[in-house]
DNA sequence: CGCTAAACTAAACATTTGTTCAGTATCGCT
DNA sequence: AGCGATACTGAACAAATGTTTAGTTTAGCG
């Protein structure tokens, strides 16, 4: 990930406040509302933090009142609008993987129903990650990944893909080099897999692009 | 049931403009921006249309600049008939956190619909993690956590809990020692928070037990 | 016709809001 | 000690913005 320059305590506080405020009120806060929240006695205290946030690329400002715009879109929920409705749910098949050297198979075990805000209206499936190859990227064995069923395109830079292979389902970084697909783990101890386009029985089969991650915490 | 009063041409035009503007700019337009768009020569032309829209329940206005809020027209959840998914899905409120030293507030922003397999049929909510205190446990800032709304019990050994505090929502290990609740981060750089049972305004408020974790991977 | 509502123009006014300038204080680093 | 970054207080100002009051015009309707 492109490590965002880190924030100081007050910068983090204010940035969090802004995101919460926007989510709740559907408009950015004014400088003086931030001031009140932070219990500052001068608006300039806010102004300087906003300058820093802007310089670090967390926000942008235009002219006029309430002009703060949040630049992070990794927000997952850019909950601007979304009113709840049931047509907002999509069935997502939970797939189990059977791999045979000659022909792979994936079978739906059951359907989970997920809000379309999560599936982003794409054709998805759920897979259980079967190794620790992406541990360093925060994806652990036994995590569930929500995968969009599609072949990565050339424009996909540094996406994570799900693939099935001997070991079951795995997640890897996707690189396209010299007509070949390279599947790269984040841990060095996992070797790179290279897929030749002409290969009849490749050692791994890319099944889609990883959209998000789901992990059970409570045992 | 409340037959939506219909809109006049200019009312409709302006209402549509507001909707588009919010979608595009993530903040409401100012009165004068609407005036410009409509090629009015007086702001009062706008003011009157806005009065009408407010009276008809299409928008609401608060104080301050850019205070127009679009009201949801779609009647709340249409818990109508047999979508096959219905009984498998539960609405989970996505909460935003406002913290004041004396009185904490949590407000639902919107509902996400999640399979009951995920909520395990418990009363849940979704929170966005606002710090890196549990980074070492694999819970990162900006992750969403699915939280069961309940006080941890003595039998809960080493559960992770969500709490709200000055910094927003945080996740911590829960320890009960000497009548006191200890909230422990996995990173050493985050200090432990201790909650006294008699404390009137504790520095953090436990809101529930973390069931699972959700993270957006694709940008 | 006369009435009313909607749809404006025109001009002021009061707030809200962003920005800036001049200071003070603390901390880590050199 | 000196320097720069961060974190503020306090005060003032100008621009942006919401609101109001007074008047004109048009269209529909009884």
């Amino acid at each position: 990930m492109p490590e965002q320059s880190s924030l100081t305590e007050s910068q983090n506080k204010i940035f969090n406040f802004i995101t919460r405020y926007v989510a709740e009120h559907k408009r950015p806060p004014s400088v003086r509302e931030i001031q009140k929240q932070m219990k500052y006695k001068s608006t300039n205290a806010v102004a300087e933090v906003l300058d820093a946030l802007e310089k670090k690329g967390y926000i942008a400002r235009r002219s006029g009142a309430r002009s703060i715009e949040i630049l992070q879109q990794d927000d997952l929920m850019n909950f601007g609008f979304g009113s709840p409705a049931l047509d907002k749910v999509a069935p997502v098949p939970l797939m189990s993987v059977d791999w045979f050297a000659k022909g792979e198979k994936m079978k739906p075990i059951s359907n989970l129903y997920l809000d379309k805000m999560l599936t982003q209206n794409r054709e998805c499936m759920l897979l259980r990650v079967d190794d620790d190859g992406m541990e360093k990227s925060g994806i652990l064995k036994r995590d569930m990944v929500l995968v969009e069923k599609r072949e990565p395109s050339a424009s996909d830079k540094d996406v994570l893909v799900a693939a099935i292979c001997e070991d079951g389902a795995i997640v890897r970084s996707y690189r396209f080099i010299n007509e070949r697909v390279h599947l790269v783990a984040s841990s060095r101890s996992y070797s790179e897999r290279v897929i030749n386009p002409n290969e009849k029985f490749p050692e791994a089969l890319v099944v889609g692009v990883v959209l998000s991650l789901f992990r059970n915490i409570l045992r």
Side-chain angles (χ1 to χ4, degrees), chain A:
Chain A
M1 297 221 185
E3 195 63 32
Q4 205 93 24
S5 38
S6 64
L7 298 180
T8 67
E9 187 182 347
S10 50
Q11 285 165 10
N12 190 48
K13 250 181 208 170
I14 288 186
F15 182 73
N16 287 340
F17 173 70
I18 295 171
T19 53
R20 284 200 305 273
Y21 189 101
V22 170
E24 188 173 337
H25 298 91
K26 293 165 189 172
R27 60 168 172 163
S30 71
V31 169
R32 279 170 182 81
E33 284 169 338
I34 300 174
Q35 179 197 355
K36 208 178 234 173
Q37 167 77 14
M38 300 295 288
K39 287 168 186 161
Y40 288 159
K41 291 179 181 167
S42 167
T43 56
N44 186 44
V46 178
E48 281 177 355
V49 173
L50 292 183
D51 286 344
L53 283 174
E54 190 168 24
K55 200 173 275 179
K56 290 181 180 178
Y58 281 77
I59 62 170
R61 283 184 289 179
R62 305 183 184 185
S63 61
R66 298 177 186 274
S67 66
I68 300 172
E69 184 186 345
I70 298 169
L71 291 183
Q72 310 268 91
Q73 62 264 57
D74 66 338
D75 247 2
L76 163 53
M77 334 263 118
N78 198 350
F79 6 69
F81 317 80
S83 86
L86 281 178
D87 58 343
K88 294 204 111 194
V89 179
V92 181
L94 177 59
M95 307 298 270
S96 91
V97 177
D98 272 315
W99 175 273
F100 304 97
K102 39 180 182 176
E104 66 296 324
K105 283 195 298 185
M106 298 204 329
K107 286 182 182 174
I109 300 170
S110 64
N111 276 327
L112 281 189
Y113 290 88
L114 295 181
D115 197 294
K116 286 179 180 169
M117 195 166 287
L118 301 180
T119 63
Q120 298 170 56
N121 253 328
R122 309 175 197 217
E123 193 190 352
C124 293
M125 60 186 156
L126 279 163
L127 283 173
R128 184 176 292 273
V129 179
D130 283 320
D131 77 0
D132 279 323
M134 296 307 274
E135 198 181 17
K136 293 239 166 68
S137 301
I139 301 178
L140 311 182
K141 196 198 287 190
R142 320 211 117 256
D143 282 354
M144 303 286 310
V145 284
L146 183 66
V147 176
E148 181 187 4
K149 231 163 161 176
R150 76 151 204 261
E151 197 68 19
S153 67
S155 62
D156 280 314
K157 268 288 178 185
D158 295 325
V159 296
L160 300 188
V161 297
I164 56 178
C165 62
E166 272 186 355
D167 305 325
I170 62 175
V171 172
R172 293 291 186 270
S173 286
Y174 183 92
R175 309 262 164 79
F176 195 75
I177 308 170
N178 286 343
E179 312 278 313
R180 284 185 193 151
V181 172
H182 293 239
L183 300 182
V184 187
S186 68
S187 306
R188 290 279 156 73
S189 50
Y190 282 76
S191 57
E192 192 172 317
R193 291 170 197 260
V194 183
I195 305 174
N196 216 310
N198 309 323
E199 222 153 346
K200 214 167 182 181
F201 299 123
E203 60 166 325
L205 182 76
V206 175
V207 296
V209 176
V210 176
L211 294 183
S212 52
L213 161 65
F214 192 87
R215 181 184 306 153
N216 231 1
I217 301 282
L218 193 67
R219 311 230 119 241

